[in-house]
Amino acid sequence: MKINWFPGHMKKTMAEIKSKLVNIDVVIYLLDSRAPISSINPSLSKLSQNKPVLYVFNKVDIADEKRVEEIAKDYKSENSDYIIMNSTLSGGAKLMKQKILALAKDKIEKFLKKGIKTVIRAIVIGVPNSGKSTLVNNLCGKAKAVTGNRAGVTKMTQWVSIGDNIEICDTPGTLYPNLEDQEIAKKLLFVGSIKDEVVADTVELAQELISQIREKYPSLLQNRYGEDLTLEGIAKKRGFILGKGEYDIERSANAVIDDFRKCRIGKITLD
């Protein structure tokens, strides 16, 4: 099973991000809390170097918050900070604006000495389906960006004002041209950052997902599916039966993937 997905608009987006970073004060790096480390795109990280970065660990409501907090601590430095949040809730918007302004304090102070209240420009980057447009809408307090629970919804960059002299540039989700690390690719597929259509064999994918969850959260799997964690066992428990009494393994595989994405198995972080 070889996983790779880099549609044409992503190449265009990478070029746009590179050109915009010249005039950007703060980079907002959105990570999916179910696979935060795998959400780091080396190509984006390289482009954003030397810029203050705010790492946003999003979707914490469907992830292992304790594990996310452990990971997030490594992303705080003199030139970076982090916030753990659920971008569908409004509570984090105020704190996030405060962190953006704190990271841009050198520019703010420089212009204040001249009697000027400057505009801080930030850009939101991240892998597909990490919740960038939802976050932008949250910060705006209204729906200005198109959202959707699937990869590839946002197709172009767009600027919006979020008050407090802050302007945000929302960008389409981007991966890297060659996903050499297939373990990372699998995790991105699990959380929906890569389109399902890229992989024909959902059975193999579901088996790999079960294996990874069993390694860290065995009790969650057992609570959901019982002792037999094979796809056949899950099909038997769910009553997924084809004609002639055969078990519907493919339906079982799709159910496991969907259960993980919708947090029916439990709050899980796969790093």
Side-chain angles (χ1 to χ4, degrees), residues 25-26 52-54 76 78-81 94-109 120 166:
D25 302 304
V26 178
V53 179
L54 177 60
K76 185 175 178 62
E78 186 177 342
N79 204 38
S80 66
D81 202 351
K94 183 178 180 181
L95 176 59
M96 191 167 171
K97 290 176 184 178
Q98 290 173 352
K99 287 183 177 286
I100 292 171
L101 294 173
L103 286 168
K105 68 180 187 304
D106 289 346
K107 178 181 178 180
I108 293 171
E109 291 173 358
I120 299 303
I166 302 175

Side-chain angles (χ1 to χ4, degrees), residues 37 45 93 110 138 147 165 200 230 251:
I37 296 174
S45 298
K110 178 182 176 181
N138 186 335
T147 64
N165 283 16
T230 64
R251 185 180 177 189

Side-chain angles (χ1 to χ4, degrees), residues 20-195:
K20 283 182 169 58
L21 278 171
V22 177
N23 300 310
I24 291 296
D25 302 304
V26 178
V27 175
I28 301 171
Y29 207 141
L30 206 60
L31 310 174
D32 190 317
S33 289
R34 296 170 297 173
I37 296 174
S38 297
S39 296
I40 295 288
N41 182 337
S43 298
L44 289 176
S45 298
K46 186 176 180 180
L47 288 177
S48 61
Q49 63 183 351
N50 302 323
K51 294 282 184 178
V53 179
L54 177 60
Y55 293 94
V56 180
F57 291 78
N58 192 30
K59 302 188 180 184
V60 71
D61 55 309
I62 52 175
D64 180 349
E65 187 168 358
K66 184 177 180 181
R67 175 59 183 148
V68 173
E69 288 173 349
E70 292 173 353
I71 295 171
K73 292 175 184 176
D74 292 333
Y75 291 82
K76 185 175 178 62
S77 68
E78 186 177 342
N79 204 38
S80 66
D81 202 351
Y82 70 86
I83 183 171
I84 299 171
M85 68 184 297
N86 168 10
S87 64
T88 64
L89 301 178
S90 60
K94 183 178 180 181
L95 176 59
M96 191 167 171
K97 290 176 184 178
Q98 290 173 352
K99 287 183 177 286
I100 292 171
L101 294 173
L103 286 168
K105 68 180 187 304
D106 289 346
K107 178 181 178 180
I108 293 171
E109 291 173 358
K110 178 182 176 181
F111 277 83
L112 279 178
K113 288 178 181 178
K114 300 176 182 179
I116 302 171
K117 188 175 183 180
T118 188
V119 173
I120 299 303
R121 293 181 174 86
I123 190 169
V124 182
I125 62 174
V127 296
N129 197 37
S130 54
K132 293 181 299 301
S133 296
T134 300
L135 176 68
V136 170
N137 288 339
N138 186 335
L139 292 171
C140 293
K142 61 182 71 175
K144 290 192 176 183
V146 179
T147 64
N149 189 25
R150 64 187 188 280
V153 173
T154 304
K155 297 294 186 183
M156 63 184 69
T157 59
Q158 52 185 327
W159 282 95
V160 295
S161 174
I162 63 170
D164 295 322
N165 283 16
I166 302 175
E167 292 181 357
I168 296 283
C169 180
D170 183 24
T171 65
T174 53
L175 297 169
Y176 23 113
N178 187 11
L179 284 164
E180 294 181 356
D181 191 329
Q182 287 293 288
E183 291 306 309
I184 288 177
K186 288 174 188 174
K187 292 184 177 73
L188 293 176
L189 231 170
F190 294 154
V191 301
S193 290
I194 297 176
K195 286 188 175 182

